[in-house]
């Protein structure tokens, strides 16, 4: 049987140690397969935005600005893309957006970018939270149409 050849590889990163290990492995796989690599960081929506909000006991000034969050992460991811290109991988794309990381990685980006392999870190959510919410990596394993590599 011939070795599987991947053309479009996606790696989801969140800054955790395991997601950065997943990035390293995704870069290696993309180099071996002469594949395009898409590096995605999906930021969860914040409940409040810049301005004033009433939370029951008075008005609170908030300083969470999604546009600023996106710009900051885009800049950081530009540095990551530059480092990946220094390793010899020319076809690299970055995606930074606000949304549901599970849905974006397992479905939306996969469809839009024609992804055939996903790398994801097995970042540890505490056991209680996992019982109620499940983990992103578990969701991607269950819902992805592409092959999935979970990195520890």
């Amino acid at each position: 049987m011939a070795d599987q050849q991947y053309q479009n590889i996606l790696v989801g990163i969140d800054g955790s140690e395991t997601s950065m290990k997943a990035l390293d492995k995704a870069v290696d796989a993309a180099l071996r397969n002469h594949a395009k690599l898409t590096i995605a960081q999906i930021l969860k929506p914040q409940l409040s935005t810049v301005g004033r909000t009433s939370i029951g006991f008075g008005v609170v000034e908030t300083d969470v600005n999604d546009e600023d969050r996106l710009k900051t992460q885009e800049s950081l991811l530009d540095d990551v893309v530059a480092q990946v290109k220094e390793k010899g991988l020319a076809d690299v794309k970055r995606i930074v957006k606000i949304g549901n990381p599970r849905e974006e990685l397992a479905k939306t980006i996969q469809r839009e970018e024609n992804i055939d392999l996903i790398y994801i870190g097995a970042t540890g959510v505490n056991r209680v939270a996992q019982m109620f919410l499940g983990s992103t990596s578990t969701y991607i394993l269950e819902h992805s149409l592409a092959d999935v590599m979970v990195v520890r």
Side-chain angles (χ1 to χ4, degrees):
M1 184 162 108
D3 288 336
Q4 172 71 47
Q5 291 293 307
Y6 297 103
Q7 296 177 340
N8 297 297
I9 299 172
L10 169 65
V11 59
I13 65 172
D14 62 5
S16 67
E17 183 180 338
T18 57
S19 75
M20 299 317 287
K21 287 180 184 177
L23 173 64
D24 290 340
K25 291 183 181 280
V27 169
D28 292 343
L31 286 167
R32 279 193 314 275
N33 287 275
H34 306 285
K36 175 184 174 184
L37 178 64
T38 300
I39 304 169
Q41 183 171 24
I42 312 303
L43 305 173
K44 293 179 182 176
Q46 294 291 329
L47 297 178
S48 59
T49 57
V50 171
R52 298 165 55 105
T53 184
S54 174
I55 55 175
F57 55 85
V59 175
V60 176
E61 295 289 333
T62 59
D63 62 354
V64 177
N65 183 318
D66 286 340
E67 206 169 295
D68 289 343
R69 291 174 61 217
L70 283 172
K71 285 180 185 175
T72 298
Q73 292 311 119
E74 286 170 350
S75 177
L76 291 172
L77 226 51
D78 285 342
D79 292 342
V80 171
V81 168
Q83 292 171 9
V84 168
K85 286 184 175 182
E86 286 177 6
K87 293 180 180 181
L89 187 61
D91 199 357
V92 184
K93 177 179 183 176
R94 68 143 170 86
I95 295 174
V96 180
K97 61 190 338 188
I98 294 174
N100 180 327
R102 295 173 179 192
E103 292 293 320
E104 291 293 335
L105 295 171
K107 297 177 182 177
T108 307
I109 295 171
Q110 188 178 150
R111 243 185 345 263
E112 291 171 353
E113 301 296 325
N114 198 28
I115 299 298
D116 48 17
L117 176 62
I118 299 174
Y119 276 85
I120 190 82
T123 54
V125 177
N126 71 48
R127 299 258 183 226
V128 174
Q130 267 188 345
M131 287 185 335
F132 292 109
L133 302 174
S135 70
T136 299
S137 55
T138 299
Y139 183 90
I140 292 169
L141 280 167
E142 291 174 354
H143 294 90
S144 173
L145 297 176
D147 291 346
V148 179
M149 297 289 292
V150 179
V151 178
R152 296 197 178 276

